[in-house]
């Protein structure tokens, strides 16, 4: 490789690589190292070099088998990520397509409305749903249904038909935030498609559905791939909204904890004692699972085929 090309690559990629190494790989290495120690109660002096090998991973496997808290966190994570991912990707795509076919003066207000959950501070947004799903008559949902005569007494929605009630609230609250991200990405992608394609399709008498199937979806496949992988990894690691709903009692405590929230609770919220070594092992497992799922998703969505240069004469 020529020297000037190496310099160009280093100039453009160097800052990004430095940031990734500093803020991702080094913390990841530290987390993996901590997972092999007996670190607890943040007593670094006593436990930093107290190596216990795979003990924390063995404890993790044992808890996953026999401790309902760990087992439920695993099941909740699988359901939460799978269903919310579908909601975020398909919901974002649907909203983007609908707003694309609307007049711009109407579309811009509609998109802004859907962005409100993402623009609202986490605490305020979670507080809104705390009162909406409140188990007493002061809850917005209960009040509406009581006035409408649909129910005779308030319902504790977080504990209703466990674990479906808790899962529904987690998916609903997080889905509203995630769907706006997909909508923005997909809408900008659709707007970048040359208008001649749509004009030619209209001249040929193509319906909106045909335009979606033949033009929009094929031409935004890169964005579909990006949003799917990004949202999946985000859902695996998100816990801020879930933490507040969990702590405020909106969701059931036995089923309202995802794996990422479990990691946080093990490290920072003691149940007996803080166990950073065990939390680090759980975090490492989450990183490995995220990497594997990311690679599988890229393969399923045909990433290799998309980056292959097309055959043909130049």
């Amino acid at each position: 490789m020529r020297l000037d090309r190496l310099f160009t690559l280093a100039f453009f990629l160097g800052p990004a690589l430095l940031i990734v190494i500093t803020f991702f790989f080094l913390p990841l290495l530290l987390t993996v190292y901590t997972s092999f120690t007996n670190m607890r109660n943040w007593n670094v002096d006593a436990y930093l070099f107290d190596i216990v090998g795979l003990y924390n991973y063995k404890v993790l496997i044992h808890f996953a088998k026999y401790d309902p808290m760990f087992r439920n966190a695993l099941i909740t994570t699988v359901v939460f990520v799978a269903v919310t991912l579908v909601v975020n990707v398909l919901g974002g795509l649907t909203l983007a397509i609908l707003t694309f076919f609307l007049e711009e003066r109407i579309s811009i207000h509609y998109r802004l409305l859907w962005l409100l959950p993402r623009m609202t501070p986490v605490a305020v947004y979670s507080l809104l749903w705390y009162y909406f799903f409140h188990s007493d008559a002061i809850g917005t949902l209960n009040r509406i249904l009581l006035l409408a005569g649909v129910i005779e007494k308030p319902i504790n929605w977080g504990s209703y038909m466990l674990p479906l009630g808790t899962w529904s609230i987690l998916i609903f609250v997080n889905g509203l935030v995630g769907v706006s991200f997909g909508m923005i990405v997909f809408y900008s992608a659709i707007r970048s498609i040359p208008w001649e394609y749509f004009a030619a399709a209209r001249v040929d008498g193509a319906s909106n559905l045909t335009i979606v199937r033949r033009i929009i979806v094929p031409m935004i496949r890169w964005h579909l791939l990006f949003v799917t992988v990004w949202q999946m990894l985000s859902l695996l690691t998100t816990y801020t909204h879930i933490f507040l709903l969990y702590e405020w009692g909106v969701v059931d405590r036995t089923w309202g904890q995802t794996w990422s929230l479990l990691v946080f609770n093990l490290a920072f919220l003691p149940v007996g004692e803080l166990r950073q070594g065990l939390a680090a092992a759980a975090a490492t497992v989450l990183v490995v699972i995220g990497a594997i799922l990311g690679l599988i998703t890229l393969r399923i969505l045909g990433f290799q085929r998309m980056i292959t240069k097309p055959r043909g004469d130049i």
Side-chain angles (χ1 to χ4, degrees), residues 77-89 167 171-172 175 235:
T77 302
V78 171
V79 174
F80 169 73
V81 173
V83 178
T84 313
L85 181 63
V86 172
V87 170
N88 288 353
V89 175
W167 287 349
I171 292 167
F172 180 80
L235 290 170

Side-chain angles (χ1 to χ4, degrees), residues 175-196:
L176 279 180
V177 177
V179 79
S180 61
F181 174 78
M183 178 192 69
I184 291 299
V185 174
F186 292 140
Y187 181 81
S188 61
I190 295 172
R191 296 293 294 185
S192 67
I193 299 174
W195 67 270
E196 290 87 350

